[in-house]
Amino acid sequence: MFVVISYDVPDDKRRTKIHTILKSYGQWMQYSVFECNLDSTEYAKLRSRLAKLIKPAEDSIRLYFLCACCQTKVERIGGEAVRDETVFFV
Amino acid sequence: MGTLYITQDDSFIGKTDERLTVRANKQTLLDVPLIKVDGVVVLGRATVSPAVVMELLERRIALSFLTSTGRYLGRLEPELTKNIFVRSAQWKATLAVSAEQHAPSEAALHLVRGFVRGKLKNYRNSLLRAQREFPELQLQSAITQLEQAIDPIDRTNTIDSLRGLEGSGSAAYFGCFNQLIRVKAFQFAGRNRRPPTDPVNALLSLGYALLRHDVQSAVNLVGFDPYLGYLHTQRYGRPSLALDLMEEFRPLVVDAIVLSAINRRSLSPEAFVAEPLSGAVSLTSEGLRTFLRLYEQKKQSQFKHPVLQTQCTYQESFEIQARLMSKYLMGETEKYPPLVLK
């Protein structure tokens, strides 16, 4: 599943933590916006890690699911390029 | 899912959260989530942190070490699977029919026939295709020779004779391999290795080393002992079963990439350097990147599996063939079908 995740967290420390976690599951596209391509196990893991961390009273995380056909309709003007995941070189 | 190739010398592979980070010269060169990685290949020297070793083993991601020229050194691999039945079937198949005669078991013979038939038929098909596309090539005699090697396979009852058929078939194929290269700057006189002394051989050797890495992973994943083969004899440290299963994939994967890399001019003669004394030819780091990318793209390209009738990638087909082999050895199927593509 393709998930767009955005978050709004006033506390700097918690926000950095959320950022680090999300970086392990997807790609950072904009400030507070990530795009993740996950299977259901990975999604469950991510969700539980985030749920443990945040304070629901102050913070909010929104997860938008895109279906396969909407995913191809995403348009981009400038900004971060989508990572090529077929092969990684150093 | 992709493979991570590390060609930067003296880089450090570390772990932050659930990501692999590669650092060199105090800079982070790469930061990639572990869920996107299904294999790590180190070419040259690198430091691997203990945390990464643990994490790779836990996630069952294989880590292979190659020299910077692509020679296989070894790998870090998760535990063999606990499925002892597959391995015991594999061992049983090597036992002779009776103690006095050295005749191979029916299963071993059948598998070797499959490997040799798969390889030679793929050789033949690739020559036939080349002949169709370029009618001016002189491939007919090699094709006839290959046919003559394929024809008696099912009637041959010793593994040594099958090795002979494989040898004569391969000789016919490599005898006309030079004609498949349509760029003047590259010439292929014959197969040479350890070390390869011309660019084409260097590419073939590197490709086979990479292919072995992948096939051995598949063989391990299914639960076989990679060191016990049927076509390749037992030798200390030789992953014979991986080499056996590799045979049918050689022309399909590696030879195809090498030819297309040269013919489509993805690699030029400038992408190679020769060592002055030994004459060993290898790729420059830029050329290596190009070749690795081509290899990875090929592995992830899809085709329709002729037996299962489903779409799969070459990467998946390594495991599918290993599973078909285990099904045959465990007596669940009558035959082992080698992967032959038109």
Side-chain angles (χ1 to χ4, degrees), chain A residues 7-22 32 34 49-61:
Chain A
Y7 51 89
D8 199 350
V9 178
D11 180 58
D12 286 349
K13 209 169 159 190
R14 266 204 314 279
R15 193 169 55 240
T16 316
K17 276 187 182 161
I18 288 178
H19 180 87
T20 343
I21 294 175
L22 282 170
S32 316
F34 275 84
R49 280 191 70 178
L50 291 175
K52 265 185 217 152
L53 183 69
I54 64 159
K55 287 197 174 152
E58 300 164 37
D59 311 340
S60 93
I61 300 182

Side-chain angles (χ1 to χ4, degrees), chain B residues 149-188:
Chain B
I150 294 169
D151 185 52
I153 287 177
D154 285 334
R155 286 175 273 123
T156 309
N157 287 322
T158 64
I159 291 186
D160 274 332
S161 322
L162 286 167
R163 288 189 187 116
L165 292 176
E166 185 222 330
S168 72
S170 304
Y173 174 75
F174 279 113
C176 62
F177 195 72
N178 191 36
Q179 293 189 49
L180 305 180
I181 298 170
R182 295 189 305 279
V183 175
K184 283 241 163 49
F186 288 96
Q187 288 296 322
F188 179 82

Side-chain angles (χ1 to χ4, degrees), chain B residues 73-85:
Chain B
L73 290 173
R75 58 197 281 131
L76 170 81
E77 187 145 29
E79 191 200 4
L80 278 175
T81 64
K82 295 172 179 121
N83 191 345
I84 177 66
F85 303 110

Side-chain angles (χ1 to χ4, degrees), chain B residues 298-317:
Chain B
K298 180 75 183 178
K299 250 180 19 183
Q300 295 187 15
S301 62
Q302 284 205 328
F303 64 93
K304 190 175 179 191
H305 195 283
V307 178
L308 304 182
Q309 295 291 320
T310 50
Q311 287 287 324
C312 66
T313 63
Y314 283 99
Q315 172 97 65
E316 289 161 352
S317 74

